[in-house]
Amino acid sequence: MKIIQASKNGSEDWHYLQGKEQLKNPLVLVFGNRYLLEDEAVLKNIREEFSYEHLVFGSTSGEIMNGNVLDNSISVTAIELEKSTFIIERENISNFDLQPNLLGEALLSKLPKESLKHLFVISEGLLDGSKLIEGIENNLSNAIALTGGLCGDDARFEKTLSSYKENPKPGEVILIGLYGEALEVTYASAGGWFPFGPERKITKSKDNIVFEIDDKPALELYKNHLAHRASGLPSASLSFPLNVTYEGKQQPVVRAVLGMDESQNTLILAGDAPENSKVQLMMASIDAIIDGAQHATELAMKNREKKADIAILVSCIGRKLVMNQRVGEETEYIKETLDASTATTGFYSYGQIAPFNGNDYTNLHNQTMTVTLISE
């Protein structure tokens, strides 16, 4: 595997990590600030500098490269697979009546299944990520894992952009299939957040919209629990996600509050929250978040046969806001834990996609660091 990485801020020149080199038919991951990915001049410059066919774009809430966290930048990672192959497919949510599960099914149906080793998804950030996963996994073998993330837009939540080959636009979901016996892909996800306050029950919801908790308007109850912090909504919600335990399941998932409807008194979450689920507020300390990132890396490295050539890191905008000036510490710890030769790339997102540790089925996570390690 050959990897070339470069980044730039605004009108600055490209800064290369490994030295500029022409690769053979690489997979090119382009992560960047949403405003930059809307700029025609910036996009033209990217295509001139990286004149390859397979460019995948995703807007972010911060870019990750070489153990550093970048803002308002473009980061590019070009990956040449020497013993393996990849196939990329794309669909837009607008073509599926805004039903992510149908889009997921359509995407998977387009990919060949023979020799498929792993799936990586880069998705529109303002959709129900759990429904997207449900659609992709509906006809997927348990032997094939899915990781990835929902695109970001800093803390604005206005719109996200993504694309394959075309210029970035809203609504796009890109599914990357990795093929070949030479590939070794491992992954893990960990948080560092902990629940607090009373445990309650979701009594009325539909998909990712929560109407009532304990038969009371969800938004009103959420504001009451935040007390004086409620004045900082909606951005304050990123620091206080919900711990949701599905009925009949032991392991909870963390759900970020992506939005709220004052007229309906509802909470709009990053993933589904079924009725009768138990729910509890969460918070975290900076040290616990950093420990979570290191723990995810150690889990992903456990029992690997080869060192990873590249680590794709997908963290959460909520973690970034809580850590503030210390945000670079979680990526630095990961870089130090990995082999010195392992390249790192990734982004801060509106949702992280990975199986629970030790399980085959995938979940949408919030407030986690998800690590995907790939080698040939």
Side-chain angles (χ1 to χ4, degrees):
M1 185 181 295
K2 293 182 180 179
I3 299 168
I4 299 295
Q5 294 182 287
S7 64
K8 68 176 296 183
N9 288 82
S11 60
E12 295 178 3
D13 292 335
W14 288 96
H15 171 66
Y16 280 81
L17 296 183
Q18 295 88 355
K20 191 172 181 179
E21 178 184 348
Q22 192 70 16
L23 299 181
K24 181 180 179 181
N25 195 38
L27 164 63
V28 184
L29 302 177
V30 184
F31 300 132
N33 174 273
R34 191 257 289 181
Y35 289 145
L36 292 176
L37 294 183
E38 290 178 316
D39 189 319
E40 292 290 339
V42 172
L43 293 172
K44 180 182 178 183
N45 179 253
I46 293 170
R47 293 186 185 280
E48 288 174 347
E49 190 72 17
F50 301 92
S51 55
Y52 299 114
E53 178 182 1
H54 302 292
L55 271 67
V56 176
F57 294 87
S59 66
T60 79
S61 295
E63 302 78 55
I64 299 171
M65 178 169 282
N66 194 35
N68 298 313
V69 178
L70 311 175
D71 284 303
N72 302 314
S73 75
I74 298 291
S75 70
V76 178
T77 299
I79 306 167
E80 178 187 319
L81 297 176
E82 300 176 285
K83 304 174 185 177
S84 314
T85 59
F86 63 87
I87 297 175
I88 306 172
E89 297 291 348
R90 55 150 295 274
E91 290 288 357
N92 196 286
I93 191 65
S94 63
N95 298 324
F96 295 87
D97 296 324
L98 303 181
Q99 298 186 59
N101 56 320
L102 298 181
L103 184 152
E105 290 177 4
L107 268 180
L108 184 67
S109 69
K110 295 165 73 172
L111 284 176
K113 307 305 182 294
E114 186 177 354
S115 299
L116 178 62
K117 195 68 174 280
H118 189 80
L119 292 171
F120 194 88
V121 63
I122 297 173
S123 171
E124 155 69 41
L126 300 175
L127 53 66
D128 185 341
S130 55
K131 291 296 182 186
L132 173 65
I133 294 168
E134 179 184 305
I136 294 174
E137 290 203 318
N138 192 34
N139 294 303
L140 184 65
S141 164
N142 287 338
I144 308 301
L146 169 69
T147 59
L150 307 184
C151 290
D153 180 28
D154 290 327
R156 290 182 292 264
F157 292 92
E158 294 173 354
K159 66 176 175 178
T160 68
L161 305 174
S162 50
S163 68
Y164 169 49
K165 295 187 178 181
E166 302 175 350
N167 283 350
K169 57 186 175 181
E172 292 285 288
V173 180
I174 298 92
L175 188 61
I176 304 169
L178 300 175
Y179 295 80
E181 290 303 315
L183 283 169
E184 182 180 12
V185 184
T186 57
Y187 43 83
S189 182
W193 295 67
F194 55 89
F196 72 97
E199 187 175 69
R200 299 183 182 276
K201 180 187 288 188
I202 295 175
T203 46
K204 185 178 180 181
S205 67
K206 181 179 180 182
D207 298 329
N208 64 326
I209 301 175
V210 180
F211 296 91
E212 295 180 0
I213 298 174
D214 280 355
D215 297 315
K216 297 176 182 177
L219 178 54
E220 180 181 319
L221 193 63
Y222 184 73
K223 286 181 175 180
N224 289 341
H225 277 300
L226 290 189
H228 67 277
R229 304 182 188 95
S231 61
L233 291 173
S235 60
S237 65
L238 294 171
S239 299
F240 297 94
L242 300 177
N243 192 56
V244 179
T245 305
Y246 289 26
E247 187 177 25
K249 293 186 178 180
Q250 297 296 318
Q251 201 159 9
V253 294
V254 182
R255 290 283 180 256
V257 179
L258 291 187
M260 39 198 81
D261 187 334
E262 296 280 356
S263 64
Q264 300 293 320
N265 240 323
T266 59
L267 297 173
I268 303 168
L269 309 185
D272 61 351
E275 291 181 0
N276 297 318
S277 298
K278 295 177 181 179
V279 63
Q280 201 171 8
L281 276 175
M282 301 191 80
M283 62 188 302
S285 69
I286 294 175
D287 289 340
I289 289 175
I290 294 170
D291 288 345
Q294 186 171 8
H295 183 54
T297 310
E298 291 169 348
L299 287 172
M301 293 176 66
K302 190 176 181 180
N303 300 324
R304 282 189 63 86
E305 295 181 4
K306 296 173 282 187
K307 71 174 183 63
D309 294 315
I310 189 165
I312 305 178
L313 314 178
V314 183
S315 192
C316 183
I317 174 60
R319 297 167 68 87
K320 188 167 182 267
L321 292 177
V322 169
M323 287 187 287
N324 199 2
Q325 296 299 317
R326 293 180 62 186
V327 64
E329 292 186 35
E330 72 166 347
T331 53
E332 289 170 5
Y333 269 81
I334 290 173
K335 183 68 175 173
E336 291 171 3
T337 304
L338 294 166
D339 187 276
S341 64
T342 301
T344 59
T345 187
F347 62 101
Y348 280 83
S349 71
Y350 286 171
Q352 305 81 58
I353 294 172
F356 272 122
N357 299 322
N359 293 327
D360 293 325
Y361 63 88
T362 303
N363 276 93
L364 175 75
H365 306 272
N366 295 118
Q367 310 297 358
T368 65
M369 168 64 81
T370 292
V371 179
T372 302
L373 303 179
I374 305 173
S375 60
E376 287 188 295

